Amino acid sequence: MRLIVDRDRCEGHGVCESAAPDLLELDEHGDLVLLAEGELAPEHRQQAADSVVICPVAALKLEG
């Protein structure tokens, strides 16, 4: 399972960062940075799922 960011949709609200602090952060420009790219570790899957649900512009999705 991988977490995917649609950079065209992302508006940098940052609520996903609060749901998945081990996986996501906003940089100094307000751009979302994936801290864990590729296959998610089992202990990060719930955070990833929470971030997908909480994103106000549906810019995140889980794949795989």
Side-chain angles (χ1 to χ4, degrees):
M1 180 181 299
R2 295 174 6 124
L3 183 60
I4 307 296
V5 178
D6 183 338
R7 302 230 177 253
D8 292 330
R9 290 186 73 104
C10 182
E11 296 177 356
H13 294 281
V15 293
C16 61
E17 182 181 19
S18 65
D22 296 333
L23 302 174
L24 303 164
E25 73 178 12
L26 292 177
D27 68 11
E28 63 275 2
H29 304 289
D31 295 323
L32 190 61
V33 177
L34 285 173
L35 300 175
E37 294 194 39
E39 189 70 21
L40 292 170
E43 63 270 16
H44 291 140
R45 291 180 180 170
Q46 187 60 53
Q47 281 189 37
D50 292 346
S51 69
V52 169
V53 170
I54 203 169
C55 179
V57 295
L60 298 170
K61 70 177 181 176
L62 290 173
E63 185 176 87

